[in-house]
Amino acid sequence: MSNCRKISSCYLLWLGLISYTFTHLHVTARQWSSSGTSTRFYDFKVQTMRITKMCKSKDIVTVNRMFPGPVIYAYEDDKIIVKVTNETPYNTTIHWHGVQQRLSCWSDGPSYITQCPIQSGQSFTYKFVLVKQKGTMLWHAHVSWLRGTVYGAIVVYPKIGIPYPFKKPYKEQIIILGEYWHKDVVQLEREALDSGGAPTPADAFTINGYPGPSYNCSNNDVYKMEVVPGKKYLLRIINAALNSEHFFTIANHKLTIVEVDGEYTKPFTVNRLMIAPGQTINVLITADQPIKKYSMAMGPYMSAKNVSFQKLPAIAYFQYTGTTPNQVVLSAQLPIFNDSFVVKTVMDGLRSLNPVNVPMEIDVNLFFTIGLNVEKCHSLNPKKNCKGPNGGVLGASVNNISFINPKFSLLQAYYNDINGHFTEDFPDLPLKVYDYVNGAPNNIPNDTQSLIGTRTKVLEFGSRVELILQDTGTVSIENHPIHIHGYSFYVVGYGTGNYDSSTAKLNLVDPPYMNTIGVPVGGWAAIRFVADNPGVWFMHCHLEIHMSWGLSMAFIVKNGKGKMQTLPPPPAGMPMC
């Protein structure tokens, strides 16, 4: 890795001298302090771009007219400064997914949670430090459904001189999974919410922006990764998809997982994996097969019942040097769409690389049910607006409370003690106790409605928190990727059925450290973290339609003592609502 490390180091240090036309990434890079950390400057222009996929053209929102967007490269403990200028007619924000934002909650990015959106023609500069963080993360828009096309990778290398905990790969490759629609994604969200029913499935899946030959008019719209026989590669796999989870595999090759959500794991090998939106998985792969073309496939994992979804996979080529253009591609075998055993196999194998400091004594015990709801129809035009089950309106909730987005930044309201934008009464437990998986109320829509509100849960600084996330079967049991902003957490346990503390098996030695956990279909996940980062932190399902329906809430973590435990004032230039 020494040569690769030197190359990466030089690349990062000299990006400021390389023309913007060539890189579209850095504006400049300079030393930040004598401690060896650097400040890395980026200029993000949110712009529309004409794109053609499957023989149809449309305008999409991008950053710097790149799809996927530019990569943020850095080293552990670097300071990142990104000026975001909105040149589109839409409101926008950028969320730095997986970045823990230590004392920089103002730069977290979710619209109306930590900031008002950046309006058309306006700019905002995000500033944060990658405190003790390394690995693969992502950035994406966090307003409306713009993250359908506004996304990119964050690659954070270990400090110079610190090797990876595995044998150095010959090369690294970013693999970003996505979804693509012929319609405008903002319009798609409006249509889904107006209809009261399910959203339109994606027209295609994509790998690094390419759909591949499964789709109409796309035989040449294929991503190709050329590999040298006998060499080992590190794939940084990111799921940036909007509304579905995905399987990933490469024909005739094994994937050795070495990192999840920016944290090293004990290496373990699988033939295929499931990765949910918001998750990142780094795998090692060796080009140890005959010199041929192999398909790299991405297909849907759909755990819910009676849901329409795109069934055709995205295909890329993992092709050996020396193959001919017309050579037959060896096909990858994806699991069937609802194969939860593959999901369990990956979760069973995830362990932190070394023993970790899991909170053993718990100060705050939380139990959150998550799932879908069906609200009663109150529209004067039910055929148009009430297309949910039994003529109802689909919704989603946490502890049967659907989150209502405020019209003003929660963080600004909290920091400045402005009343009327939220309450501090989110319940620690469900308001009703029942058989969540098998006996959930389902007399749709008469007893499947949720409460609504912008409710928050307040945590004292330093609180040791255990949170049980319980899937419910009100409409359908389903795998839910739950993301918490500002924190990673230890996934100390998970299982099927209803959580039972007397029988649940917990790993308190080397659990994985994640920022997005797929709560198993018809099951539960137990996570632990210490609330040591003050601010307002969004928790939500990373299936965008579920968040639009209200499957989210917010934590308020109070200040501790002293400067290093106190959220600083807002930076200059915060967007106005």
PDB file of all heavy atoms in Angstrom, residues 140-160:
ATOM      1  N   HIS A 140     -25.152  13.613   0.264  1.00  0.00           N
ATOM      2  CA  HIS A 140     -26.339  13.640  -0.600  1.00  0.00           C
ATOM      3  C   HIS A 140     -27.235  14.805  -0.215  1.00  0.00           C
ATOM      4  O   HIS A 140     -27.140  15.348   0.890  1.00  0.00           O
ATOM      5  CB  HIS A 140     -27.119  12.320  -0.532  1.00  0.00           C
ATOM      6  CG  HIS A 140     -27.613  11.934   0.832  1.00  0.00           C
ATOM      7  ND1 HIS A 140     -28.710  12.514   1.436  1.00  0.00           N
ATOM      8  CD2 HIS A 140     -27.155  11.005   1.723  1.00  0.00           C
ATOM      9  CE1 HIS A 140     -28.914  11.971   2.619  1.00  0.00           C
ATOM     10  NE2 HIS A 140     -27.985  11.046   2.830  1.00  0.00           N
ATOM     11  N   ALA A 141     -28.094  15.196  -1.146  1.00  0.00           N
ATOM     12  CA  ALA A 141     -29.082  16.236  -0.853  1.00  0.00           C
ATOM     13  C   ALA A 141     -30.013  15.748   0.249  1.00  0.00           C
ATOM     14  O   ALA A 141     -30.272  14.549   0.381  1.00  0.00           O
ATOM     15  CB  ALA A 141     -29.877  16.576  -2.108  1.00  0.00           C
ATOM     16  N   HIS A 142     -30.511  16.685   1.048  1.00  0.00           N
ATOM     17  CA  HIS A 142     -31.427  16.289   2.135  1.00  0.00           C
ATOM     18  C   HIS A 142     -32.618  17.237   2.172  1.00  0.00           C
ATOM     19  O   HIS A 142     -32.951  17.830   3.190  1.00  0.00           O
ATOM     20  CB  HIS A 142     -30.707  16.288   3.477  1.00  0.00           C
ATOM     21  CG  HIS A 142     -31.218  15.242   4.434  1.00  0.00           C
ATOM     22  ND1 HIS A 142     -32.528  15.192   4.852  1.00  0.00           N
ATOM     23  CD2 HIS A 142     -30.591  14.205   5.046  1.00  0.00           C
ATOM     24  CE1 HIS A 142     -32.677  14.178   5.689  1.00  0.00           C
ATOM     25  NE2 HIS A 142     -31.517  13.556   5.817  1.00  0.00           N
ATOM     26  N   VAL A 143     -33.271  17.361   1.012  1.00  0.00           N
ATOM     27  CA  VAL A 143     -34.504  18.137   0.901  1.00  0.00           C
ATOM     28  C   VAL A 143     -35.296  17.529  -0.245  1.00  0.00           C
ATOM     29  O   VAL A 143     -34.731  17.142  -1.267  1.00  0.00           O
ATOM     30  CB  VAL A 143     -34.214  19.634   0.662  1.00  0.00           C
ATOM     31  CG1 VAL A 143     -33.438  19.846  -0.609  1.00  0.00           C
ATOM     32  CG2 VAL A 143     -35.497  20.464   0.663  1.00  0.00           C
ATOM     33  N   SER A 144     -36.600  17.384  -0.040  1.00  0.00           N
ATOM     34  CA  SER A 144     -37.451  16.737  -1.032  1.00  0.00           C
ATOM     35  C   SER A 144     -36.803  15.398  -1.414  1.00  0.00           C
ATOM     36  O   SER A 144     -36.246  14.705  -0.572  1.00  0.00           O
ATOM     37  CB  SER A 144     -37.652  17.663  -2.236  1.00  0.00           C
ATOM     38  OG  SER A 144     -38.531  17.090  -3.171  1.00  0.00           O
ATOM     39  N   TRP A 145     -36.891  15.019  -2.704  1.00  0.00           N
ATOM     40  CA  TRP A 145     -36.262  13.769  -3.150  1.00  0.00           C
ATOM     41  C   TRP A 145     -35.050  14.041  -4.025  1.00  0.00           C
ATOM     42  O   TRP A 145     -34.659  13.204  -4.847  1.00  0.00           O
ATOM     43  CB  TRP A 145     -37.285  12.924  -3.919  1.00  0.00           C
ATOM     44  CG  TRP A 145     -38.276  12.222  -3.045  1.00  0.00           C
ATOM     45  CD1 TRP A 145     -38.540  12.457  -1.735  1.00  0.00           C
ATOM     46  CD2 TRP A 145     -39.160  11.158  -3.436  1.00  0.00           C
ATOM     47  NE1 TRP A 145     -39.530  11.624  -1.267  1.00  0.00           N
ATOM     48  CE2 TRP A 145     -39.930  10.822  -2.297  1.00  0.00           C
ATOM     49  CE3 TRP A 145     -39.385  10.487  -4.627  1.00  0.00           C
ATOM     50  CZ2 TRP A 145     -40.903   9.808  -2.323  1.00  0.00           C
ATOM     51  CZ3 TRP A 145     -40.351   9.492  -4.659  1.00  0.00           C
ATOM     52  CH2 TRP A 145     -41.096   9.152  -3.511  1.00  0.00           C
ATOM     53  N   LEU A 146     -34.427  15.199  -3.838  1.00  0.00           N
ATOM     54  CA  LEU A 146     -33.312  15.558  -4.699  1.00  0.00           C
ATOM     55  C   LEU A 146     -32.126  14.608  -4.576  1.00  0.00           C
ATOM     56  O   LEU A 146     -31.294  14.539  -5.477  1.00  0.00           O
ATOM     57  CB  LEU A 146     -32.843  16.987  -4.411  1.00  0.00           C
ATOM     58  CG  LEU A 146     -33.752  18.117  -4.900  1.00  0.00           C
ATOM     59  CD1 LEU A 146     -33.112  19.468  -4.617  1.00  0.00           C
ATOM     60  CD2 LEU A 146     -34.045  17.988  -6.391  1.00  0.00           C
ATOM     61  N   ARG A 147     -32.041  13.868  -3.475  1.00  0.00           N
ATOM     62  CA  ARG A 147     -30.898  12.961  -3.373  1.00  0.00           C
ATOM     63  C   ARG A 147     -31.004  11.798  -4.369  1.00  0.00           C
ATOM     64  O   ARG A 147     -30.066  10.999  -4.484  1.00  0.00           O
ATOM     65  CB  ARG A 147     -30.727  12.442  -1.944  1.00  0.00           C
ATOM     66  CG  ARG A 147     -31.689  11.361  -1.485  1.00  0.00           C
ATOM     67  CD  ARG A 147     -31.237  10.820  -0.120  1.00  0.00           C
ATOM     68  NE  ARG A 147     -32.137   9.804   0.389  1.00  0.00           N
ATOM     69  CZ  ARG A 147     -32.027   8.505   0.119  1.00  0.00           C
ATOM     70  NH1 ARG A 147     -31.065   8.075  -0.665  1.00  0.00           N
ATOM     71  NH2 ARG A 147     -32.876   7.638   0.635  1.00  0.00           N
ATOM     72  N   GLY A 148     -32.132  11.752  -5.124  1.00  0.00           N
ATOM     73  CA  GLY A 148     -32.218  10.770  -6.193  1.00  0.00           C
ATOM     74  C   GLY A 148     -31.113  10.919  -7.226  1.00  0.00           C
ATOM     75  O   GLY A 148     -30.728   9.948  -7.880  1.00  0.00           O
ATOM     76  N   THR A 149     -30.600  12.143  -7.395  1.00  0.00           N
ATOM     77  CA  THR A 149     -29.486  12.371  -8.331  1.00  0.00           C
ATOM     78  C   THR A 149     -28.345  13.170  -7.710  1.00  0.00           C
ATOM     79  O   THR A 149     -27.264  13.231  -8.293  1.00  0.00           O
ATOM     80  CB  THR A 149     -29.964  13.119  -9.591  1.00  0.00           C
ATOM     81  OG1 THR A 149     -30.619  14.338  -9.216  1.00  0.00           O
ATOM     82  CG2 THR A 149     -30.917  12.254 -10.409  1.00  0.00           C
ATOM     83  N   VAL A 150     -28.579  13.791  -6.557  1.00  0.00           N
ATOM     84  CA  VAL A 150     -27.545  14.626  -5.931  1.00  0.00           C
ATOM     85  C   VAL A 150     -26.859  13.810  -4.845  1.00  0.00           C
ATOM     86  O   VAL A 150     -27.308  13.752  -3.698  1.00  0.00           O
ATOM     87  CB  VAL A 150     -28.159  15.919  -5.357  1.00  0.00           C
ATOM     88  CG1 VAL A 150     -27.083  16.789  -4.720  1.00  0.00           C
ATOM     89  CG2 VAL A 150     -28.878  16.699  -6.455  1.00  0.00           C
ATOM     90  N   TYR A 151     -25.770  13.147  -5.228  1.00  0.00           N
ATOM     91  CA  TYR A 151     -25.040  12.322  -4.267  1.00  0.00           C
ATOM     92  C   TYR A 151     -23.625  12.055  -4.756  1.00  0.00           C
ATOM     93  O   TYR A 151     -23.313  12.189  -5.945  1.00  0.00           O
ATOM     94  CB  TYR A 151     -25.763  10.995  -3.999  1.00  0.00           C
ATOM     95  CG  TYR A 151     -26.020  10.129  -5.223  1.00  0.00           C
ATOM     96  CD1 TYR A 151     -25.007   9.371  -5.800  1.00  0.00           C
ATOM     97  CD2 TYR A 151     -27.298  10.051  -5.791  1.00  0.00           C
ATOM     98  CE1 TYR A 151     -25.257   8.564  -6.909  1.00  0.00           C
ATOM     99  CE2 TYR A 151     -27.550   9.251  -6.899  1.00  0.00           C
ATOM    100  CZ  TYR A 151     -26.525   8.499  -7.444  1.00  0.00           C
ATOM    101  OH  TYR A 151     -26.760   7.706  -8.538  1.00  0.00           O
ATOM    102  N   GLY A 152     -22.759  11.681  -3.816  1.00  0.00           N
ATOM    103  CA  GLY A 152     -21.379  11.353  -4.150  1.00  0.00           C
ATOM    104  C   GLY A 152     -20.693  10.696  -2.971  1.00  0.00           C
ATOM    105  O   GLY A 152     -21.250  10.580  -1.876  1.00  0.00           O
ATOM    106  N   ALA A 153     -19.463  10.284  -3.180  1.00  0.00           N
ATOM    107  CA  ALA A 153     -18.704   9.536  -2.177  1.00  0.00           C
ATOM    108  C   ALA A 153     -17.846  10.461  -1.322  1.00  0.00           C
ATOM    109  O   ALA A 153     -17.405  11.528  -1.763  1.00  0.00           O
ATOM    110  CB  ALA A 153     -17.818   8.503  -2.865  1.00  0.00           C
ATOM    111  N   ILE A 154     -17.620  10.027  -0.096  1.00  0.00           N
ATOM    112  CA  ILE A 154     -16.611  10.619   0.791  1.00  0.00           C
ATOM    113  C   ILE A 154     -15.606   9.509   1.103  1.00  0.00           C
ATOM    114  O   ILE A 154     -15.984   8.458   1.633  1.00  0.00           O
ATOM    115  CB  ILE A 154     -17.222  11.155   2.097  1.00  0.00           C
ATOM    116  CG1 ILE A 154     -18.307  12.200   1.813  1.00  0.00           C
ATOM    117  CG2 ILE A 154     -16.143  11.741   2.997  1.00  0.00           C
ATOM    118  CD1 ILE A 154     -19.065  12.651   3.059  1.00  0.00           C
ATOM    119  N   VAL A 155     -14.338   9.738   0.756  1.00  0.00           N
ATOM    120  CA  VAL A 155     -13.289   8.757   1.009  1.00  0.00           C
ATOM    121  C   VAL A 155     -12.281   9.380   1.968  1.00  0.00           C
ATOM    122  O   VAL A 155     -11.632  10.379   1.639  1.00  0.00           O
ATOM    123  CB  VAL A 155     -12.587   8.332  -0.292  1.00  0.00           C
ATOM    124  CG1 VAL A 155     -11.411   7.396   0.007  1.00  0.00           C
ATOM    125  CG2 VAL A 155     -13.576   7.647  -1.229  1.00  0.00           C
ATOM    126  N   VAL A 156     -12.187   8.804   3.158  1.00  0.00           N
ATOM    127  CA  VAL A 156     -11.299   9.325   4.190  1.00  0.00           C
ATOM    128  C   VAL A 156     -10.225   8.277   4.478  1.00  0.00           C
ATOM    129  O   VAL A 156     -10.523   7.194   4.996  1.00  0.00           O
ATOM    130  CB  VAL A 156     -12.069   9.679   5.482  1.00  0.00           C
ATOM    131  CG1 VAL A 156     -11.132  10.358   6.484  1.00  0.00           C
ATOM    132  CG2 VAL A 156     -13.261  10.577   5.174  1.00  0.00           C
ATOM    133  N   TYR A 157      -8.988   8.597   4.136  1.00  0.00           N
ATOM    134  CA  TYR A 157      -7.879   7.674   4.346  1.00  0.00           C
ATOM    135  C   TYR A 157      -7.375   7.752   5.785  1.00  0.00           C
ATOM    136  O   TYR A 157      -7.513   8.790   6.442  1.00  0.00           O
ATOM    137  CB  TYR A 157      -6.732   8.003   3.392  1.00  0.00           C
ATOM    138  CG  TYR A 157      -7.062   7.779   1.938  1.00  0.00           C
ATOM    139  CD1 TYR A 157      -7.307   8.854   1.086  1.00  0.00           C
ATOM    140  CD2 TYR A 157      -7.133   6.496   1.414  1.00  0.00           C
ATOM    141  CE1 TYR A 157      -7.611   8.655  -0.251  1.00  0.00           C
ATOM    142  CE2 TYR A 157      -7.448   6.288   0.076  1.00  0.00           C
ATOM    143  CZ  TYR A 157      -7.677   7.371  -0.746  1.00  0.00           C
ATOM    144  OH  TYR A 157      -7.989   7.169  -2.068  1.00  0.00           O
ATOM    145  N   PRO A 158      -6.769   6.665   6.276  1.00  0.00           N
ATOM    146  CA  PRO A 158      -6.094   6.757   7.575  1.00  0.00           C
ATOM    147  C   PRO A 158      -4.986   7.797   7.513  1.00  0.00           C
ATOM    148  O   PRO A 158      -4.518   8.169   6.428  1.00  0.00           O
ATOM    149  CB  PRO A 158      -5.521   5.346   7.781  1.00  0.00           C
ATOM    150  CG  PRO A 158      -6.240   4.465   6.815  1.00  0.00           C
ATOM    151  CD  PRO A 158      -6.643   5.340   5.662  1.00  0.00           C
ATOM    152  N   LYS A 159      -4.543   8.271   8.655  1.00  0.00           N
ATOM    153  CA  LYS A 159      -3.456   9.243   8.677  1.00  0.00           C
ATOM    154  C   LYS A 159      -2.238   8.686   7.940  1.00  0.00           C
ATOM    155  O   LYS A 159      -2.013   7.465   7.907  1.00  0.00           O
ATOM    156  CB  LYS A 159      -3.089   9.582  10.123  1.00  0.00           C
ATOM    157  CG  LYS A 159      -4.176  10.361  10.853  1.00  0.00           C
ATOM    158  CD  LYS A 159      -3.748  10.685  12.276  1.00  0.00           C
ATOM    159  CE  LYS A 159      -4.830  11.500  12.988  1.00  0.00           C
ATOM    160  NZ  LYS A 159      -4.463  11.807  14.380  1.00  0.00           N
ATOM    161  N   ILE A 160      -1.474   9.579   7.347  1.00  0.00           N
ATOM    162  CA  ILE A 160      -0.296   9.166   6.581  1.00  0.00           C
ATOM    163  C   ILE A 160       0.627   8.331   7.475  1.00  0.00           C
ATOM    164  O   ILE A 160       0.937   8.704   8.607  1.00  0.00           O
ATOM    165  CB  ILE A 160       0.434  10.402   6.022  1.00  0.00           C
ATOM    166  CG1 ILE A 160      -0.473  11.129   5.032  1.00  0.00           C
ATOM    167  CG2 ILE A 160       1.752  10.003   5.346  1.00  0.00           C
ATOM    168  CD1 ILE A 160       0.095  12.423   4.514  1.00  0.00           C
TER     169      ILE A 160
END
